[in-house]
Amino acid sequence: MRPKTRRRLTQNVSRFYLGLGVFFVIGFLFFGTSSIFFADEAPVNETPINEAIRLSNGEIVTLHAWNYDMDKRTMRIRLSLDETPGNTNNHLYHYVYKARPDSEKEVTLLYKRNDQYVLELENVPNDFDQIAVRIYGVDDSQSIDKLTPEEWENGLLTSLYADRRTIEQASHNSSDETTFTRLFVEDELMETEQQLEKAQQSVEAQRQQIKRLDRYKEELESELPYLSLDEQVEQENEIFDLGRKRDELTLELEKLEQSITALEEKHDKLRVRLRELSI
């Protein structure tokens, strides 16, 4: 009985190691070839909202909103473009999407007021994946129809990007000027509120810093009678430096308070403007 038992144990151990080896081989084959079946997902490529971008010609473009209407297959972009003084460029907008990067299509300009623009991209497929709007600067003296590929390339100022996985969905039912104006006023109002909040936080931080400085200065002054003459001279110099620092902080505080007043006035005007546009 004992030899048979030993033989069975040997067989069981061999089967265990054989099964373990097969498991590792299958795992290696699966994970080693998984890239064939599961392609790596491309990183999201999109232009940040409300972030100023400086162009090669010195102008600044800011993207405020980018959304997509799946039913109409249209995209709308709201942006502001601050032109440099004396600029003679005409701005042209084309778009391409990832599946057809060499096939540029023209962009429709729905709204332009001062430096504010609303662009519309038509016939954008639902599976566009990633899309780019190219902004060109073409001099007034140049004929658009006669531009060479090299001139087009040299005229490219920047590209704005959107990604299907993160783009905002919307319904493009309205195209009237009042609607677009109201959207830009809302953008400016929100930006002003954010600036106002940051300025108020800076004012409070500055006031706290001045209070801490005053307390420290009082402590140093209270110690003067107990110091030697040399120590008193050294401490009085430090007290003098603290007083000068306080004057600098007070001046900065006054400027911050003035900026808050200006922002509050701007905020009130924007609210009035928004109410007028909503009537």
Side-chain angles (χ1 to χ4, degrees):
M1 294 297 292
R2 191 169 298 172
K4 291 182 180 179
T5 302
R6 188 179 295 112
R7 191 179 300 116
R8 290 195 190 97
L9 289 173
T10 302
Q11 291 173 350
N12 290 339
V13 171
S14 299
R15 289 171 182 169
F16 171 76
Y17 282 112
L18 178 62
L20 188 62
V22 172
F23 172 79
F24 279 114
V25 170
I26 293 174
F28 174 78
L29 291 174
F30 176 79
F31 290 107
T33 59
S34 60
S35 60
I36 299 175
F37 305 103
F38 306 105
D40 294 335
E41 188 174 12
V44 172
N45 187 16
E46 60 185 2
T47 299
I49 300 296
N50 293 326
E51 183 175 305
I53 301 171
R54 183 170 292 276
L55 308 182
S56 57
N57 63 350
E59 297 175 335
I60 295 176
V61 63
T62 304
L63 177 64
H64 298 293
W66 193 329
N67 51 56
Y68 181 55
D69 189 324
M70 293 186 65
D71 296 329
K72 293 184 174 65
R73 298 173 64 192
T74 56
M75 281 188 175
R76 285 188 180 176
I77 304 170
R78 285 191 293 111
L79 58 87
S80 59
L81 184 60
D82 296 332
E83 299 184 15
T84 55
N87 179 36
T88 59
N89 281 348
N90 288 320
H91 296 101
L92 302 176
Y93 305 89
H94 290 177
Y95 83 89
V96 294
Y97 50 91
K98 191 174 181 179
R100 302 182 65 185
D102 298 325
S103 178
E104 285 194 354
K105 296 184 178 181
E106 292 187 4
V107 174
T108 303
L109 181 61
L110 293 183
Y111 172 89
K112 177 183 178 182
R113 185 170 184 178
N114 298 327
D115 60 347
Q116 298 172 338
Y117 298 79
V118 176
L119 312 177
E120 183 170 82
L121 287 57
E122 300 176 348
N123 301 318
V124 179
N126 291 332
D127 58 349
F128 66 87
D129 195 11
Q130 293 176 348
I131 202 164
V133 171
R134 297 170 178 170
I135 303 178
Y136 294 92
V138 181
D139 194 89
D140 289 339
S141 62
Q142 294 176 291
S143 174
I144 298 174
D145 297 332
K146 297 180 180 179
L147 289 177
T148 65
E150 183 178 359
E151 288 174 328
W152 274 109
E153 184 177 353
N154 292 336
L156 180 62
L157 300 178
T158 193
S159 295
L160 307 176
Y161 299 95
D163 195 291
R164 180 181 56 84
R165 292 163 292 181
T166 57
I167 195 167
E168 179 185 353
Q169 302 296 316
S171 296
H172 299 158
N173 296 323
S174 177
S175 299
D176 65 281
E177 183 175 335
T178 301
T179 298
F180 294 140
T181 302
R182 185 170 62 248
L183 289 172
F184 278 109
V185 172
E186 289 174 351
D187 286 339
E188 193 171 0
L189 181 62
M190 182 181 299
E191 183 181 357
T192 302
E193 289 174 347
Q194 292 172 349
Q195 292 174 346
L196 188 56
E197 183 179 357
K198 289 181 180 179
Q200 290 170 339
Q201 291 173 352
S202 298
V203 163
E204 183 59 29
Q206 197 84 333
R207 286 173 177 166
Q208 293 300 323
Q209 189 174 356
I210 291 174
K211 286 182 180 179
R212 289 193 296 269
L213 191 148
D214 286 341
R215 285 196 299 267
Y216 182 49
K217 184 171 177 287
E218 290 174 1
E219 291 176 6
L220 294 181
E221 289 173 339
S222 65
E223 294 173 356
L224 284 175
Y226 308 101
L227 302 176
S228 66
L229 291 177
D230 290 340
E231 290 173 337
Q232 285 180 2
V233 171
E234 183 178 350
Q235 193 134 316
E236 284 174 350
N237 289 336
E238 186 175 358
I239 291 171
F240 177 80
D241 290 338
L242 290 174
R244 186 172 56 185
K245 179 64 176 176
R246 190 191 192 285
D247 291 340
E248 293 175 357
L249 292 175
T250 302
L251 183 60
E252 292 176 4
L253 178 60
E254 291 175 357
K255 292 180 180 179
L256 284 170
E257 290 174 337
Q258 290 173 1
S259 68
I260 286 180
T261 301
L263 286 170
E264 289 175 339
E265 292 175 355
K266 181 180 179 181
H267 184 268
D268 292 341
K269 290 179 180 178
L270 288 171
R271 287 180 64 88
V272 171
R273 176 64 173 151
L274 195 58
R275 284 197 298 270
E276 292 174 348
L277 291 168
S278 301
I279 296 175

mmCIF file of all heavy atoms in Angstrom, residues 177-214:
data_model
loop_
_atom_site.group_PDB
_atom_site.id
_atom_site.type_symbol
_atom_site.label_atom_id
_atom_site.label_comp_id
_atom_site.label_asym_id
_atom_site.label_seq_id
_atom_site.Cartn_x
_atom_site.Cartn_y
_atom_site.Cartn_z
ATOM 1 N N GLU A 177 -28.628 87.569 -32.626
ATOM 2 C CA GLU A 177 -27.513 88.338 -32.060
ATOM 3 C C GLU A 177 -27.677 88.565 -30.571
ATOM 4 O O GLU A 177 -26.705 88.535 -29.811
ATOM 5 C CB GLU A 177 -27.402 89.682 -32.795
ATOM 6 C CG GLU A 177 -26.234 90.533 -32.333
ATOM 7 C CD GLU A 177 -26.090 91.794 -33.167
ATOM 8 O OE1 GLU A 177 -26.543 91.788 -34.327
ATOM 9 O OE2 GLU A 177 -25.535 92.777 -32.654
ATOM 10 N N THR A 178 -28.912 88.785 -30.112
ATOM 11 C CA THR A 178 -29.147 89.053 -28.689
ATOM 12 C C THR A 178 -28.736 87.863 -27.832
ATOM 13 O O THR A 178 -28.147 88.031 -26.757
ATOM 14 C CB THR A 178 -30.637 89.386 -28.442
ATOM 15 O OG1 THR A 178 -31.003 90.521 -29.221
ATOM 16 C CG2 THR A 178 -30.884 89.675 -26.968
ATOM 17 N N THR A 179 -29.045 86.666 -28.305
ATOM 18 C CA THR A 179 -28.674 85.459 -27.555
ATOM 19 C C THR A 179 -27.166 85.366 -27.395
ATOM 20 O O THR A 179 -26.655 85.100 -26.301
ATOM 21 C CB THR A 179 -29.199 84.205 -28.270
ATOM 22 O OG1 THR A 179 -30.623 84.254 -28.332
ATOM 23 C CG2 THR A 179 -28.770 82.943 -27.523
ATOM 24 N N PHE A 180 -26.423 85.584 -28.477
ATOM 25 C CA PHE A 180 -24.969 85.497 -28.412
ATOM 26 C C PHE A 180 -24.393 86.595 -27.521
ATOM 27 O O PHE A 180 -23.466 86.352 -26.751
ATOM 28 C CB PHE A 180 -24.372 85.586 -29.815
ATOM 29 C CG PHE A 180 -24.709 84.412 -30.696
ATOM 30 C CD1 PHE A 180 -25.007 84.601 -32.037
ATOM 31 C CD2 PHE A 180 -24.727 83.133 -30.183
ATOM 32 C CE1 PHE A 180 -25.316 83.528 -32.859
ATOM 33 C CE2 PHE A 180 -25.035 82.048 -30.985
ATOM 34 C CZ PHE A 180 -25.327 82.245 -32.326
ATOM 35 N N THR A 181 -24.952 87.815 -27.633
ATOM 36 C CA THR A 181 -24.467 88.918 -26.795
ATOM 37 C C THR A 181 -24.669 88.593 -25.325
ATOM 38 O O THR A 181 -23.788 88.838 -24.486
ATOM 39 C CB THR A 181 -25.199 90.223 -27.151
ATOM 40 O OG1 THR A 181 -25.007 90.522 -28.536
ATOM 41 C CG2 THR A 181 -24.675 91.374 -26.310
ATOM 42 N N ARG A 182 -25.831 88.040 -25.000
ATOM 43 C CA ARG A 182 -26.121 87.689 -23.606
ATOM 44 C C ARG A 182 -25.140 86.632 -23.085
ATOM 45 O O ARG A 182 -24.681 86.703 -21.937
ATOM 46 C CB ARG A 182 -27.566 87.186 -23.479
ATOM 47 C CG ARG A 182 -27.967 86.917 -22.018
ATOM 48 C CD ARG A 182 -29.452 86.668 -21.879
ATOM 49 N NE ARG A 182 -29.873 85.488 -22.621
ATOM 50 C CZ ARG A 182 -30.662 85.524 -23.699
ATOM 51 N NH1 ARG A 182 -31.095 86.686 -24.170
ATOM 52 N NH2 ARG A 182 -31.005 84.414 -24.309
ATOM 53 N N LEU A 183 -24.786 85.669 -23.914
ATOM 54 C CA LEU A 183 -23.845 84.636 -23.502
ATOM 55 C C LEU A 183 -22.479 85.236 -23.180
ATOM 56 O O LEU A 183 -21.841 84.853 -22.188
ATOM 57 C CB LEU A 183 -23.710 83.576 -24.603
ATOM 58 C CG LEU A 183 -24.919 82.668 -24.814
ATOM 59 C CD1 LEU A 183 -24.726 81.796 -26.054
ATOM 60 C CD2 LEU A 183 -25.170 81.787 -23.590
ATOM 61 N N PHE A 184 -22.049 86.183 -24.000
ATOM 62 C CA PHE A 184 -20.756 86.809 -23.729
ATOM 63 C C PHE A 184 -20.811 87.667 -22.472
ATOM 64 O O PHE A 184 -19.834 87.720 -21.705
ATOM 65 C CB PHE A 184 -20.313 87.654 -24.929
ATOM 66 C CG PHE A 184 -19.659 86.863 -26.019
ATOM 67 C CD1 PHE A 184 -20.311 86.654 -27.230
ATOM 68 C CD2 PHE A 184 -18.400 86.317 -25.844
ATOM 69 C CE1 PHE A 184 -19.711 85.925 -28.250
ATOM 70 C CE2 PHE A 184 -17.791 85.590 -26.861
ATOM 71 C CZ PHE A 184 -18.441 85.390 -28.064
ATOM 72 N N VAL A 185 -21.936 88.349 -22.236
ATOM 73 C CA VAL A 185 -22.085 89.139 -21.015
ATOM 74 C C VAL A 185 -22.065 88.222 -19.796
ATOM 75 O O VAL A 185 -21.457 88.544 -18.762
ATOM 76 C CB VAL A 185 -23.381 89.973 -21.055
ATOM 77 C CG1 VAL A 185 -23.627 90.650 -19.699
ATOM 78 C CG2 VAL A 185 -23.299 91.025 -22.145
ATOM 79 N N GLU A 186 -22.706 87.067 -19.893
ATOM 80 C CA GLU A 186 -22.691 86.099 -18.794
ATOM 81 C C GLU A 186 -21.271 85.614 -18.527
ATOM 82 O O GLU A 186 -20.876 85.451 -17.361
ATOM 83 C CB GLU A 186 -23.609 84.924 -19.124
ATOM 84 C CG GLU A 186 -25.094 85.267 -19.085
ATOM 85 C CD GLU A 186 -25.961 84.110 -19.559
ATOM 86 O OE1 GLU A 186 -25.392 83.118 -20.077
ATOM 87 O OE2 GLU A 186 -27.197 84.189 -19.421
ATOM 88 N N ASP A 187 -20.510 85.372 -19.598
ATOM 89 C CA ASP A 187 -19.105 84.979 -19.434
ATOM 90 C C ASP A 187 -18.320 86.042 -18.679
ATOM 91 O O ASP A 187 -17.570 85.750 -17.741
ATOM 92 C CB ASP A 187 -18.449 84.754 -20.801
ATOM 93 C CG ASP A 187 -18.895 83.470 -21.467
ATOM 94 O OD1 ASP A 187 -19.384 82.575 -20.749
ATOM 95 O OD2 ASP A 187 -18.760 83.366 -22.695
ATOM 96 N N GLU A 188 -18.498 87.287 -19.112
ATOM 97 C CA GLU A 188 -17.756 88.393 -18.497
ATOM 98 C C GLU A 188 -18.187 88.609 -17.056
ATOM 99 O O GLU A 188 -17.360 88.926 -16.190
ATOM 100 C CB GLU A 188 -17.961 89.673 -19.312
ATOM 101 C CG GLU A 188 -17.007 90.786 -18.948
ATOM 102 C CD GLU A 188 -17.090 91.966 -19.901
ATOM 103 O OE1 GLU A 188 -17.903 91.905 -20.853
ATOM 104 O OE2 GLU A 188 -16.350 92.938 -19.689
ATOM 105 N N LEU A 189 -19.486 88.412 -16.792
ATOM 106 C CA LEU A 189 -19.987 88.563 -15.431
ATOM 107 C C LEU A 189 -19.388 87.497 -14.516
ATOM 108 O O LEU A 189 -18.951 87.794 -13.387
ATOM 109 C CB LEU A 189 -21.514 88.465 -15.424
ATOM 110 C CG LEU A 189 -22.209 88.626 -14.070
ATOM 111 C CD1 LEU A 189 -21.940 90.014 -13.492
ATOM 112 C CD2 LEU A 189 -23.711 88.392 -14.204
ATOM 113 N N MET A 190 -19.322 86.263 -14.988
ATOM 114 C CA MET A 190 -18.746 85.188 -14.198
ATOM 115 C C MET A 190 -17.256 85.429 -13.942
ATOM 116 O O MET A 190 -16.767 85.238 -12.820
ATOM 117 C CB MET A 190 -18.929 83.841 -14.913
ATOM 118 C CG MET A 190 -18.403 82.648 -14.136
ATOM 119 S SD MET A 190 -18.612 81.092 -15.043
ATOM 120 C CE MET A 190 -20.411 81.052 -15.217
ATOM 121 N N GLU A 191 -16.554 85.880 -14.971
ATOM 122 C CA GLU A 191 -15.130 86.170 -14.814
ATOM 123 C C GLU A 191 -14.907 87.299 -13.815
ATOM 124 O O GLU A 191 -13.990 87.246 -12.991
ATOM 125 C CB GLU A 191 -14.529 86.537 -16.171
ATOM 126 C CG GLU A 191 -13.030 86.800 -16.127
ATOM 127 C CD GLU A 191 -12.477 87.195 -17.484
ATOM 128 O OE1 GLU A 191 -13.243 87.219 -18.468
ATOM 129 O OE2 GLU A 191 -11.256 87.492 -17.564
ATOM 130 N N THR A 192 -15.765 88.311 -13.877
ATOM 131 C CA THR A 192 -15.646 89.439 -12.946
ATOM 132 C C THR A 192 -15.909 88.985 -11.514
ATOM 133 O O THR A 192 -15.224 89.431 -10.576
ATOM 134 C CB THR A 192 -16.645 90.552 -13.331
ATOM 135 O OG1 THR A 192 -16.388 90.967 -14.676
ATOM 136 C CG2 THR A 192 -16.503 91.747 -12.409
ATOM 137 N N GLU A 193 -16.877 88.123 -11.318
ATOM 138 C CA GLU A 193 -17.167 87.607 -9.980
ATOM 139 C C GLU A 193 -15.984 86.816 -9.430
ATOM 140 O O GLU A 193 -15.657 86.912 -8.238
ATOM 141 C CB GLU A 193 -18.420 86.736 -10.017
ATOM 142 C CG GLU A 193 -19.705 87.539 -10.234
ATOM 143 C CD GLU A 193 -20.918 86.642 -10.422
ATOM 144 O OE1 GLU A 193 -20.725 85.417 -10.630
ATOM 145 O OE2 GLU A 193 -22.053 87.155 -10.358
ATOM 146 N N GLN A 194 -15.329 86.047 -10.283
ATOM 147 C CA GLN A 194 -14.152 85.293 -9.847
ATOM 148 C C GLN A 194 -13.010 86.234 -9.488
ATOM 149 O O GLN A 194 -12.328 86.029 -8.476
ATOM 150 C CB GLN A 194 -13.728 84.323 -10.952
ATOM 151 C CG GLN A 194 -14.712 83.199 -11.206
ATOM 152 C CD GLN A 194 -14.364 82.366 -12.430
ATOM 153 O OE1 GLN A 194 -13.497 82.730 -13.220
ATOM 154 N NE2 GLN A 194 -15.030 81.238 -12.594
ATOM 155 N N GLN A 195 -12.806 87.275 -10.294
ATOM 156 C CA GLN A 195 -11.754 88.261 -9.999
ATOM 157 C C GLN A 195 -12.059 88.995 -8.705
ATOM 158 O O GLN A 195 -11.149 89.276 -7.905
ATOM 159 C CB GLN A 195 -11.637 89.251 -11.159
ATOM 160 C CG GLN A 195 -11.102 88.647 -12.441
ATOM 161 C CD GLN A 195 -11.152 89.627 -13.602
ATOM 162 O OE1 GLN A 195 -11.823 90.666 -13.533
ATOM 163 N NE2 GLN A 195 -10.472 89.310 -14.686
ATOM 164 N N LEU A 196 -13.336 89.304 -8.488
ATOM 165 C CA LEU A 196 -13.744 90.018 -7.279
ATOM 166 C C LEU A 196 -13.494 89.159 -6.036
ATOM 167 O O LEU A 196 -12.998 89.653 -5.016
ATOM 168 C CB LEU A 196 -15.218 90.396 -7.384
ATOM 169 C CG LEU A 196 -15.805 91.323 -6.307
ATOM 170 C CD1 LEU A 196 -15.021 92.616 -6.230
ATOM 171 C CD2 LEU A 196 -17.276 91.595 -6.608
ATOM 172 N N GLU A 197 -13.804 87.884 -6.141
ATOM 173 C CA GLU A 197 -13.582 86.974 -5.012
ATOM 174 C C GLU A 197 -12.093 86.870 -4.677
ATOM 175 O O GLU A 197 -11.709 86.913 -3.494
ATOM 176 C CB GLU A 197 -14.152 85.592 -5.340
ATOM 177 C CG GLU A 197 -14.027 84.598 -4.199
ATOM 178 C CD GLU A 197 -14.615 83.242 -4.539
ATOM 179 O OE1 GLU A 197 -15.164 83.102 -5.652
ATOM 180 O OE2 GLU A 197 -14.518 82.328 -3.696
ATOM 181 N N LYS A 198 -11.252 86.741 -5.704
ATOM 182 C CA LYS A 198 -9.806 86.652 -5.472
ATOM 183 C C LYS A 198 -9.268 87.950 -4.865
ATOM 184 O O LYS A 198 -8.418 87.923 -3.965
ATOM 185 C CB LYS A 198 -9.083 86.348 -6.784
ATOM 186 C CG LYS A 198 -9.308 84.937 -7.306
ATOM 187 C CD LYS A 198 -8.540 84.715 -8.603
ATOM 188 C CE LYS A 198 -8.765 83.302 -9.131
ATOM 189 N NZ LYS A 198 -8.036 83.080 -10.418
ATOM 190 N N ALA A 199 -9.758 89.081 -5.356
ATOM 191 C CA ALA A 199 -9.304 90.371 -4.836
ATOM 192 C C ALA A 199 -9.702 90.538 -3.373
ATOM 193 O O ALA A 199 -8.917 91.044 -2.557
ATOM 194 C CB ALA A 199 -9.869 91.507 -5.678
ATOM 195 N N GLN A 200 -10.905 90.129 -3.027
ATOM 196 C CA GLN A 200 -11.358 90.216 -1.632
ATOM 197 C C GLN A 200 -10.527 89.320 -0.718
ATOM 198 O O GLN A 200 -10.208 89.697 0.414
ATOM 199 C CB GLN A 200 -12.838 89.849 -1.552
ATOM 200 C CG GLN A 200 -13.752 90.898 -2.172
ATOM 201 C CD GLN A 200 -15.186 90.429 -2.319
ATOM 202 O OE1 GLN A 200 -15.460 89.216 -2.320
ATOM 203 N NE2 GLN A 200 -16.113 91.363 -2.447
ATOM 204 N N GLN A 201 -10.172 88.145 -1.214
ATOM 205 C CA GLN A 201 -9.308 87.248 -0.435
ATOM 206 C C GLN A 201 -7.924 87.868 -0.249
ATOM 207 O O GLN A 201 -7.333 87.762 0.840
ATOM 208 C CB GLN A 201 -9.192 85.895 -1.144
ATOM 209 C CG GLN A 201 -10.477 85.085 -1.149
ATOM 210 C CD GLN A 201 -10.375 83.831 -2.001
ATOM 211 O OE1 GLN A 201 -9.393 83.626 -2.717
ATOM 212 N NE2 GLN A 201 -11.382 82.979 -1.925
ATOM 213 N N SER A 202 -7.414 88.526 -1.284
ATOM 214 C CA SER A 202 -6.107 89.184 -1.182
ATOM 215 C C SER A 202 -6.148 90.331 -0.178
ATOM 216 O O SER A 202 -5.196 90.526 0.594
ATOM 217 C CB SER A 202 -5.671 89.697 -2.556
ATOM 218 O OG SER A 202 -5.512 88.639 -3.472
ATOM 219 N N VAL A 203 -7.235 91.094 -0.159
ATOM 220 C CA VAL A 203 -7.381 92.199 0.787
ATOM 221 C C VAL A 203 -7.391 91.674 2.215
ATOM 222 O O VAL A 203 -6.711 92.219 3.100
ATOM 223 C CB VAL A 203 -8.665 93.002 0.489
ATOM 224 C CG1 VAL A 203 -9.051 93.875 1.683
ATOM 225 C CG2 VAL A 203 -8.473 93.863 -0.741
ATOM 226 N N GLU A 204 -8.142 90.608 2.445
ATOM 227 C CA GLU A 204 -8.210 90.042 3.791
ATOM 228 C C GLU A 204 -6.846 89.511 4.227
ATOM 229 O O GLU A 204 -6.428 89.713 5.381
ATOM 230 C CB GLU A 204 -9.255 88.925 3.833
ATOM 231 C CG GLU A 204 -9.462 88.311 5.207
ATOM 232 C CD GLU A 204 -9.897 89.318 6.255
ATOM 233 O OE1 GLU A 204 -10.553 90.315 5.892
ATOM 234 O OE2 GLU A 204 -9.584 89.114 7.442
ATOM 235 N N ALA A 205 -6.138 88.845 3.315
ATOM 236 C CA ALA A 205 -4.796 88.333 3.641
ATOM 237 C C ALA A 205 -3.842 89.484 3.948
ATOM 238 O O ALA A 205 -3.016 89.391 4.871
ATOM 239 C CB ALA A 205 -4.264 87.495 2.479
ATOM 240 N N GLN A 206 -3.962 90.590 3.196
ATOM 241 C CA GLN A 206 -3.094 91.751 3.424
ATOM 242 C C GLN A 206 -3.386 92.382 4.783
ATOM 243 O O GLN A 206 -2.467 92.787 5.500
ATOM 244 C CB GLN A 206 -3.310 92.767 2.299
ATOM 245 C CG GLN A 206 -2.214 93.788 2.180
ATOM 246 C CD GLN A 206 -1.047 93.278 1.366
ATOM 247 O OE1 GLN A 206 -0.797 92.078 1.288
ATOM 248 N NE2 GLN A 206 -0.308 94.185 0.765
ATOM 249 N N ARG A 207 -4.647 92.470 5.143
ATOM 250 C CA ARG A 207 -5.018 93.044 6.440
ATOM 251 C C ARG A 207 -4.488 92.192 7.593
ATOM 252 O O ARG A 207 -3.992 92.722 8.594
ATOM 253 C CB ARG A 207 -6.542 93.168 6.529
ATOM 254 C CG ARG A 207 -7.108 94.297 5.676
ATOM 255 C CD ARG A 207 -8.621 94.268 5.663
ATOM 256 N NE ARG A 207 -9.162 95.393 4.896
ATOM 257 C CZ ARG A 207 -10.436 95.471 4.503
ATOM 258 N NH1 ARG A 207 -11.287 94.486 4.815
ATOM 259 N NH2 ARG A 207 -10.847 96.513 3.816
ATOM 260 N N GLN A 208 -4.590 90.884 7.452
ATOM 261 C CA GLN A 208 -4.076 89.991 8.486
ATOM 262 C C GLN A 208 -2.568 90.121 8.624
ATOM 263 O O GLN A 208 -2.028 90.085 9.732
ATOM 264 C CB GLN A 208 -4.460 88.543 8.163
ATOM 265 C CG GLN A 208 -5.944 88.250 8.244
ATOM 266 C CD GLN A 208 -6.515 88.514 9.634
ATOM 267 O OE1 GLN A 208 -5.854 88.252 10.646
ATOM 268 N NE2 GLN A 208 -7.724 89.039 9.688
ATOM 269 N N GLN A 209 -1.878 90.278 7.500
ATOM 270 C CA GLN A 209 -0.427 90.433 7.536
ATOM 271 C C GLN A 209 -0.034 91.730 8.243
ATOM 272 O O GLN A 209 0.931 91.764 9.016
ATOM 273 C CB GLN A 209 0.141 90.412 6.117
ATOM 274 C CG GLN A 209 1.659 90.353 6.063
ATOM 275 C CD GLN A 209 2.183 90.189 4.643
ATOM 276 O OE1 GLN A 209 1.414 90.051 3.704
ATOM 277 N NE2 GLN A 209 3.501 90.218 4.492
ATOM 278 N N ILE A 210 -0.790 92.798 8.001
ATOM 279 C CA ILE A 210 -0.520 94.078 8.668
ATOM 280 C C ILE A 210 -0.760 93.966 10.175
ATOM 281 O O ILE A 210 0.012 94.496 10.990
ATOM 282 C CB ILE A 210 -1.390 95.199 8.053
ATOM 283 C CG1 ILE A 210 -0.920 95.505 6.628
ATOM 284 C CG2 ILE A 210 -1.343 96.465 8.906
ATOM 285 C CD1 ILE A 210 -1.792 96.489 5.887
ATOM 286 N N LYS A 211 -1.804 93.239 10.562
ATOM 287 C CA LYS A 211 -2.086 93.048 11.987
ATOM 288 C C LYS A 211 -0.965 92.274 12.670
ATOM 289 O O LYS A 211 -0.543 92.618 13.784
ATOM 290 C CB LYS A 211 -3.420 92.305 12.161
ATOM 291 C CG LYS A 211 -4.651 93.151 11.873
ATOM 292 C CD LYS A 211 -5.917 92.340 12.108
ATOM 293 C CE LYS A 211 -7.164 93.184 11.830
ATOM 294 N NZ LYS A 211 -8.406 92.393 12.030
ATOM 295 N N ARG A 212 -0.483 91.217 12.006
ATOM 296 C CA ARG A 212 0.618 90.440 12.590
ATOM 297 C C ARG A 212 1.872 91.300 12.739
ATOM 298 O O ARG A 212 2.600 91.209 13.738
ATOM 299 C CB ARG A 212 0.909 89.209 11.729
ATOM 300 C CG ARG A 212 -0.166 88.133 11.804
ATOM 301 C CD ARG A 212 0.305 86.831 11.193
ATOM 302 N NE ARG A 212 0.560 86.976 9.759
ATOM 303 C CZ ARG A 212 -0.344 86.752 8.825
ATOM 304 N NH1 ARG A 212 -1.587 86.386 9.171
ATOM 305 N NH2 ARG A 212 -0.047 86.892 7.550
ATOM 306 N N LEU A 213 2.121 92.115 11.735
ATOM 307 C CA LEU A 213 3.291 92.999 11.774
ATOM 308 C C LEU A 213 3.165 94.010 12.915
ATOM 309 O O LEU A 213 4.140 94.296 13.627
ATOM 310 C CB LEU A 213 3.442 93.694 10.421
ATOM 311 C CG LEU A 213 4.724 94.471 10.141
ATOM 312 C CD1 LEU A 213 5.059 94.408 8.652
ATOM 313 C CD2 LEU A 213 4.557 95.929 10.567
ATOM 314 N N ASP A 214 1.953 94.553 13.114
ATOM 315 C CA ASP A 214 1.732 95.521 14.195
ATOM 316 C C ASP A 214 1.961 94.885 15.560
ATOM 317 O O ASP A 214 2.564 95.503 16.459
ATOM 318 C CB ASP A 214 0.318 96.090 14.116
ATOM 319 C CG ASP A 214 0.150 97.086 12.969
ATOM 320 O OD1 ASP A 214 1.184 97.593 12.487
ATOM 321 O OD2 ASP A 214 -0.989 97.341 12.556
#
